[in-house]
Amino acid sequence: MQSEDRSLASQADTMVTVVLPRALLRLFPDAPCEVSVQARTVGEMIAALDARWPGMRDRLQDSTPAVRRHINVFVDGRRAKLETVLEDGLKVYVLTAISGG
Amino acid sequence: MTRVLVLVGTKKGTFILKSDAGRRDWSLSGPFCATWPIQHAIGDRATGAIYAAGGDTWFGPAVWKSTDLGETWTHSSEGLAYAEGEEPIKAVWSLAPGDGALYAGVEPAGLFKSTDGGTTWSHVAGLRAHPSRPEWNPGGAGLILHHIVPHPHDPAKLWVGISAAGVFYTEDGGETWEPRNRGTRADYNPEDQRYPEFGQCVHSLALAPGGGERLYQQNHCGMYRSDDGGRQWASIEAGLPSTFGFPSAAHPRDAGTLFLLPLNGDIKGRYMPDAQAAVWRTRDGGGSWTDLRKGLPQEHAYFGVLRQALATDRLEPAGVYFGTSGGALFASADEGESWAPLAQHLPQISSVETLVIEA
């Protein structure tokens, strides 16, 4: 655990660019489609988004807590979880999954 | 000037129809709420605010709010969540204002309360703490709390309807609850278990006007009335074309008058009996029923009407409105005597409510 803590601490100033889906932007008209946030994990990234646009966390993650079932967060081309660690300079894509009726 | 609003919750957003007291000419606007599936849209007479409850497949549950009669909307779900590790809330199914607060019923079944106009929510945890809760089973639409009936003058008292757990009642502001299902059937249970303490499939609850505790209940298995706040229910289904239906709507002033939309039956397709549309009305508390058909389609009417999709307004004579699974909205300005369509091609209609304001 100690080494993991050190590893996270070293990423304290990790900056990522988040690309938000258009359907989400309809709910938060002030949010841009791309935004830079400081976050070491996907969970922190969502928290940072929520701090700027209150309520956004509830739209992207449920109370499990987990990324919502029909929301995809892609990090390095892979579907990520809240605990997925981010690296400095990454572009994180938040996408609405196929869903509907 | 009196303005009449009909608030329509649909599978693809909220729609609003506006008219004056004559209720002849209507304007329609929408869809609002980002075309989210909306289960229930209501108007709060005390404040003039409009609320719309739903749950989006992508973005989860929320309650939308408009304070300018639908021109602009905000949404919130702050506090609208169960504890970590519990099954998350899928959607908000029902809303009711009461004594300055706003209540929300959700799926999986539970009750929330807001005292700041829907900005933040707190869980009324006593309901899910009821010892019967592990045995609550979902109905066809899920384990949903779909009707909330605040007591007419005592803010500590409240009834809720849960499919398929039945009617529950609190008189201490939600701390403790008791089932109130005596006399209502569960035909889907084994023969010797048809009248359980809970587990009935209530479809809708309507409080009669006048300040008393008369309730009406359309159930999956029968139509009922209680004159003592649900302690005992009695069947009032004699004279109806079917024991099965979803919505019920009370008259604004007459406790003996109720409107219903019976469907043909739970295993027969759940559409209008004989594919001919009719609203059924009693004037004597369910002792007798009259079918009201003038202006409604009398052939090929294979639509259903969902549990919150029938409403009255508070004008004289009372207006009656219902929305169909096929997206048609019908209205009567004469207590059901004659009908006309207000819209024919909306998305599937989940709910219909009215708001009458002076503006």
Side-chain angles (χ1 to χ4, degrees):
Chain A
M1 284 305 291
Q2 220 174 5
S3 63
E4 197 173 288
D5 286 345
R6 269 201 301 275
S7 156
L8 287 177
S10 69
Q11 296 167 4
D13 55 357
T14 301
M15 292 293 292
V16 295
T17 302
V18 190
V19 181
L20 298 172
R22 278 194 309 177
L24 182 70
L25 301 179
R26 292 172 72 193
L27 308 178
F28 298 92
D30 298 338
C33 59
E34 277 196 31
V35 57
S36 292
V37 300
Q38 186 174 312
R40 296 170 298 179
T41 64
V42 169
E44 287 188 9
M45 179 193 88
I46 292 174
L49 293 171
D50 190 69
R52 282 197 217 176
W53 298 286
M56 195 178 279
R57 181 194 341 243
D58 281 354
R59 304 284 69 86
L60 299 178
Q61 73 179 60
D62 64 28
S63 59
T64 305
V67 175
R68 287 197 177 281
R69 192 170 164 200
H70 290 274
I71 294 292
N72 286 329
V73 178
F74 278 95
V75 176
D76 252 351
R78 292 189 177 182
R79 192 161 187 247
K81 298 179 175 179
L82 290 178
E83 55 272 24
T84 298
V85 174
L86 302 176
E87 290 174 18
D88 193 44
L90 266 180
K91 202 168 208 179
V92 180
Y93 290 88
V94 179
L95 301 166
T96 45
I98 291 173
S99 164
Chain B
M1 181 184 129
T2 301
R3 299 182 77 186
V4 183
L5 277 69
V6 179
L7 312 170
V8 184
T10 81
K11 194 176 180 184
K12 299 173 193 288
T14 300
F15 293 81
I16 299 177
L17 293 97
K18 294 177 182 170
S19 186
D20 56 22
R23 294 165 288 176
R24 280 184 301 273
D25 302 314
W26 295 86
S27 64
L28 184 148
S29 56
F32 304 116
C33 309
T35 68
W36 277 27
I38 296 299
Q39 297 296 346
H40 199 200
I42 67 159
D44 182 357
R45 270 176 71 181
T47 64
I50 297 170
Y51 297 96
D56 183 67
T57 316
W58 290 319
F59 299 122
V63 176
W64 293 77
K65 179 180 183 180
S66 174
T67 55
D68 53 13
L69 301 182
E71 293 292 316
T72 59
W73 294 80
T74 56
H75 76 279
S76 177
S77 52
E78 192 179 336
L80 203 61
Y82 293 137
E84 285 189 7
E86 290 190 47
E87 184 183 348
I89 293 169
K90 276 189 192 162
V92 184
W93 269 80
S94 51
L95 295 168
D99 193 46
L102 182 67
Y103 290 95
V106 304
E107 176 193 11
L111 184 68
F112 286 78
K113 183 177 184 178
S114 173
T115 54
D116 58 9
T119 304
T120 62
W121 297 87
S122 57
H123 185 202
V124 181
L127 179 60
R128 280 168 69 86
H130 192 271
S132 66
R133 207 256 288 184
E135 296 175 65
W136 295 357
N137 286 311
L143 181 58
I144 54 176
L145 195 160
H146 53 69
H147 274 79
I148 305 165
V149 180
H151 192 276
H153 51 75
D154 186 341
K157 296 179 178 175
L158 190 77
W159 296 269
V160 298
I162 300 172
S163 288
V167 176
F168 285 74
Y169 171 75
T170 181
E171 54 188 18
D172 58 11
E175 291 284 315
T176 60
W177 296 77
E178 63 180 55
R180 288 206 165 172
N181 300 298
R182 192 176 303 132
T184 60
R185 296 192 311 275
D187 289 338
Y188 37 81
N189 278 359
E191 206 165 323
D192 59 346
Q193 297 169 43
R194 296 263 163 93
Y195 289 90
E197 187 186 8
F198 62 90
Q200 282 87 338
C201 191
V202 53
H203 280 182
S204 65
L205 273 180
L207 178 72
E213 295 197 349
R214 172 176 283 190
L215 293 165
Y216 293 97
Q217 175 185 163
Q218 173 73 69
N219 191 290
H220 193 113
C221 309
M223 183 62 213
Y224 302 92
R225 192 187 86 213
S226 170
D227 290 336
D228 57 5
R231 288 181 186 83
Q232 181 68 46
W233 295 90
S235 169
I236 53 169
E237 61 209 47
L240 289 170
S242 154
T243 59
F244 183 90
F246 285 99
S248 53
H251 189 276
R253 289 168 294 276
D254 178 9
T257 296
L258 187 80
F259 299 90
L260 283 189
L261 271 147
L263 303 181
N264 60 343
D266 68 333
I267 59 168
K268 294 178 179 173
R270 304 184 179 193
Y271 48 78
M272 292 291 132
D274 301 319
Q276 299 174 321
V279 171
W280 291 70
R281 183 184 66 201
T282 180
R283 292 288 199 193
D284 56 6
S288 61
W289 296 92
T290 303
D291 55 326
L292 308 163
R293 301 176 180 274
K294 189 179 173 188
L296 295 177
Q298 292 306 297
E299 60 177 1
H300 313 313
Y302 293 99
F303 57 76
V305 177
L306 293 173
R307 65 182 79 244
Q308 292 152 304
L310 170 67
T312 55
D313 66 31
R314 59 186 177 87
L315 297 180
E316 174 65 51
V320 191
Y321 310 83
F322 72 90
T324 75
S325 56
L329 180 70
F330 291 95
S332 165
D334 54 11
E335 309 213 344
E337 294 296 328
S338 61
W339 295 86
L342 300 189
Q344 307 235 44
H345 307 293
L346 298 179
Q348 175 177 294
I349 293 173
S350 311
S351 73
V352 176
E353 297 283 1
T354 66
L355 177 64
V356 178
I357 53 170
E358 300 299 324

